[in-house]
Amino acid sequence: MYVSGEIQIVPIGTEASFTRYIAQVKTILNDSGLQHTMHDSGTNFQGDYALVSQVVQKCMESVLENGAPRVLCFVKFGARTDKDYSKELPAAEKVQRYLGAGQ
């Protein structure tokens, strides 16, 4: 099943900066092959549900292995049968193109 969604990883019990944890998460996402876009409060993604599940697990394990005593992970998934997500642009790109065409 092909899904789109968002993941937010929050290290708990660490220093104020999450940079080193999120940098490792970004590396995992890049290496996974998932289509993704990182933003200030999370990462949007598109891909096969099984792969997404594996990547989420790797991201959480990475945060714990890098010293955070706890990690919270918020994930939202969406799937649909009326369109093929794998051939669709991410919503953010569609909006950018729409705005660019109207200017």
Side-chain angles (χ1 to χ4, degrees), residues 48 52 60 64 76-77 80 91 93 98:
D48 182 74
V52 170
M60 292 180 70
L64 294 170
K76 294 188 282 187
F77 293 108
R80 54 190 306 176
E93 282 185 48
Y98 177 83

Side-chain angles (χ1 to χ4, degrees), residues 11-96:
I12 303 292
T14 64
E15 64 275 4
S17 175
F18 295 166
T19 303
R20 70 183 177 117
Y21 302 103
I22 302 309
Q24 184 61 36
V25 166
K26 176 68 171 161
T27 299
I28 292 167
L29 288 164
N30 287 346
D31 292 347
S32 74
L34 280 179
Q35 183 178 2
H36 66 279
T37 305
M38 189 173 270
H39 51 84
D40 288 346
S41 61
T43 301
N44 297 333
F45 60 81
Q46 288 185 210
D48 182 74
Y49 178 81
L51 176 59
V52 170
S53 296
Q54 291 172 358
V55 171
V56 168
Q57 181 176 345
K58 286 181 184 178
C59 291
M60 292 180 70
E61 289 172 346
S62 170
V63 171
L64 294 170
E65 290 166 359
N66 281 293
R70 294 177 57 200
V71 61
L72 292 179
C73 180
F74 302 94
V75 184
K76 294 188 282 187
F77 293 108
R80 54 190 306 176
T81 58
D82 61 329
K83 286 188 178 183
D84 184 354
Y85 270 141
S86 65
K87 294 184 171 86
E88 288 281 314
L89 286 174
E93 282 185 48
K94 285 185 187 179
V95 170
Q96 289 294 359

